Amino acid sequence: MALYGRQHRRVREVWAKRVALGNVACVRCGDLIHPSEPWDLGHVDGTAREYAGAEHRYCNRAAGARLARRRRGRRSRPW
């Protein structure tokens, strides 16, 4: 079974077409996402169902790690 449902797959499909053109900026860092780069469909921070847009995989997962550390009461790193 897929981790994300039908809605997520549909939204990601729309973004995939845009990313493939090479003119989509990461919503986290603002740099362009190269079509061959791994990317994630990022969520608005603190939500599970609201999508922010395409993000570099590193940017998305680093933000998730920072959020998890804050929730556990640890200080987030400045980068």
Side-chain angles (χ1 to χ4, degrees), residues 19-23 33-39:
V19 171
L21 297 174
N23 58 2
I33 301 172
H34 189 275
S36 66
E37 268 185 289
W39 63 278

Side-chain angles (χ1 to χ4, degrees), residues 34-48:
H34 189 275
S36 66
E37 268 185 289
W39 63 278
D40 290 335
L41 178 57
H43 292 90
V44 173
D45 289 345
T47 71

Side-chain angles (χ1 to χ4, degrees), residues 39-76:
W39 63 278
D40 290 335
L41 178 57
H43 292 90
V44 173
D45 289 345
T47 71
R49 294 194 174 123
E50 189 176 343
Y51 299 110
E55 301 178 1
H56 292 107
R57 183 164 290 165
Y58 173 81
C59 293
N60 177 271
R61 296 179 185 190
R66 283 191 298 273
L67 179 62
R69 280 195 302 272
R70 279 196 301 271
R71 286 182 176 165
R72 288 192 305 262
R74 294 184 187 162
R75 187 169 164 236
S76 181

